[in-house]
Amino acid sequence: MRLGPKSSAMDQSNAFLLSSSFLSQLIFQKLNHNNYLTWKRQIVPFIKSHRLYGHIDGTTRAPPKYIDREVKRTVVADQGAGTSAGSEVRFEYETLTENNLEFEVWLAHDQSLVAYITSTLSEEVL
């Protein structure tokens, strides 16, 4: 897997998230009204091992959905007659708003975590 310039080891470890079928092998008891502590002892290490616990306790905050990027443009204009020969060069700046790729990665991890946790709930809890 190739990492982009903003990728990190955490992104690489979370680039593939385990399938829910694998999770069901690890979580042998689905959450019901009587087994919260047992369920929690199963699910928390799994979530921490995938470095996703920050989504649970709020320490991994969502990055902004959009980011602003400043674009510099060079504008060359001919000078009018009667002035010294040459062209006038000036710079114009424009701000573009675009999707933040870090937010998209965060959202994918967050929604995978929601799906994992939901797959460990019994029907009576849902």
Side-chain angles (χ1 to χ4, degrees), residues 54-118:
H55 288 258
I56 302 291
D57 68 7
T59 57
T60 303
R61 297 190 183 274
K65 187 172 184 176
Y66 302 103
I67 55 173
D68 292 331
R69 184 172 56 94
E70 189 171 70
V71 178
K72 178 180 174 182
R73 294 188 182 162
T74 304
V75 178
V76 179
D78 290 331
Q79 292 186 350
T83 60
S84 61
S87 299
E88 176 186 357
V89 177
R90 69 179 194 281
F91 300 104
E92 293 179 355
Y93 296 90
E94 180 182 2
T95 301
L96 300 176
T97 300
E98 54 190 31
N99 290 335
N100 184 356
L101 296 178
E102 290 180 12
F103 173 80
E104 292 176 12
V105 169
W106 178 90
L107 184 61
H109 292 168
D110 189 70
Q111 292 303 294
S112 292
L113 184 56
V114 169
Y116 288 156
I117 291 172
T118 301

